[in-house]
């Protein structure tokens, strides 16, 4: 019996990666809902600008949620899919009743920083496992999100 999965990765490595990807999935889901809340509830002079920007962010997050879940499946594992599991697993906390522009932008900034940190851990694990598919996926996410972090920081300055 082989110790590799359908795509040729060692099952122990695939399992470890799937666990980390499920943690990433949970963080993406909670972050997505936070950004949806910012979009819905933003008030003030920056409403039009931030309302549109938050929609751009949550649309991208939704795409990545699907991609992460499908990567877990590709590794031969099951993505978590209950919101209670997302809340219990994620390090990003739910935010409620936030409507101030600067507070919302800081929430987006902190969310992306959290995702980048977790994705760097996954990138390291994927590299060690010779998992080019996962490494490429999270590497692309990191590159995009580092630029977003820079822009959000510039906005807040």
């Amino acid at each position: 019996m082989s110790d590799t999965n359908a795509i040729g990765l060692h099952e122990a490595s695939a399992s470890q990666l799937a666990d980390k990807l499920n943690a990433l999935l949970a963080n993406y889901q909670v972050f997505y809902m936070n950004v949806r809340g910012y979009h819905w509830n933003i008030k003030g002079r920056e409403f039009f600008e931030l309302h549109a920007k938050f929609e751009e962010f949550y649309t991208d997050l939704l795409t990545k949620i699907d991609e992460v879940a499908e990567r877990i499946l590709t590794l031969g594992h099951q993505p978590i899919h209950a919101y209670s599991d997302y809340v219990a697993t994620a390090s990003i906390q739910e935010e409620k009743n936030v409507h101030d522009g600067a507070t919302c932008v800081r929430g987006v900034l902190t969310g992306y920083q959290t995702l980048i940190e977790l994705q760097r851990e996954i990138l390291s694990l994927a590299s060690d496992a010779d998992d080019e598919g996962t490494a490429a996926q999270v590497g692309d996410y990191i590159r995009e999100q580092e630029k977003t972090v820079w822009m959000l920081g510039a906005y807040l300055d």
Side-chain angles (χ1 to χ4, degrees), residues 74-92:
T74 300
L75 292 171
H77 293 268
Q78 183 175 3
I80 58 175
H81 57 275
Y83 204 77
S84 58
D85 290 335
Y86 298 144
V87 172
T89 303
S91 53
I92 295 175

Side-chain angles (χ1 to χ4, degrees), residues 33 42 46 95 101 118 136 147 149:
M33 286 309 301
I42 186 74
E46 300 161 324
E95 292 199 11
L118 182 52
K147 184 174 181 180
V149 164

Side-chain angles (χ1 to χ4, degrees), residues 61-85:
L61 291 169
L62 188 58
T63 298
K64 286 178 173 55
I65 286 166
D66 192 55
E67 291 172 350
V68 170
E70 288 176 352
R71 187 65 195 168
I72 294 166
L73 290 163
T74 300
L75 292 171
H77 293 268
Q78 183 175 3
I80 58 175
H81 57 275
Y83 204 77
S84 58
D85 290 335

Side-chain angles (χ1 to χ4, degrees), residues 1-67:
M1 188 164 147
S2 176
D3 70 337
T4 58
N5 65 10
I7 61 172
L9 297 176
H10 289 284
E11 184 48 47
S13 296
S15 180
Q16 185 180 24
L17 281 162
D19 288 346
K20 280 289 190 182
L21 286 166
N22 265 316
L24 182 63
L25 179 62
N27 279 284
Y28 267 105
Q29 287 282 25
V30 174
F31 186 39
Y32 168 81
M33 286 309 301
N34 285 348
V35 178
R36 284 299 297 246
Y38 303 152
H39 170 78
W40 290 330
N41 296 305
I42 186 74
K43 293 181 182 175
R45 292 182 187 176
E46 300 161 324
F47 171 83
F48 290 106
E49 176 184 0
L50 291 177
H51 182 76
K53 188 49 110 173
F54 295 148
E55 183 173 4
E56 178 185 320
F57 288 149
Y58 76 67
T59 300
D60 180 65
L61 291 169
L62 188 58
T63 298
K64 286 178 173 55
I65 286 166
D66 192 55
E67 291 172 350

Side-chain angles (χ1 to χ4, degrees), residues 68-151:
V68 170
E70 288 176 352
R71 187 65 195 168
I72 294 166
L73 290 163
T74 300
L75 292 171
H77 293 268
Q78 183 175 3
I80 58 175
H81 57 275
Y83 204 77
S84 58
D85 290 335
Y86 298 144
V87 172
T89 303
S91 53
I92 295 175
Q93 299 298 304
E94 290 180 305
E95 292 199 11
K96 299 176 184 178
N97 303 317
V98 179
H99 56 81
D100 170 69
T103 304
C104 293
V105 172
R106 278 192 294 277
V108 173
L109 176 61
T110 301
Y112 278 122
Q113 289 168 328
T114 301
L115 292 176
I116 290 168
E117 182 179 338
L118 182 52
Q119 289 165 160
R120 284 188 180 134
E121 290 176 31
I122 293 167
L123 181 61
S124 178
L125 287 173
S127 295
D128 291 345
D130 292 325
D131 178 2
E132 178 61 31
T134 301
Q137 182 175 343
V138 298
D140 287 348
Y141 294 175
I142 291 167
R143 179 186 45 77
E144 292 171 18
Q145 293 164 0
E146 284 175 339
K147 184 174 181 180
T148 301
V149 164
W150 161 66
M151 292 175 141

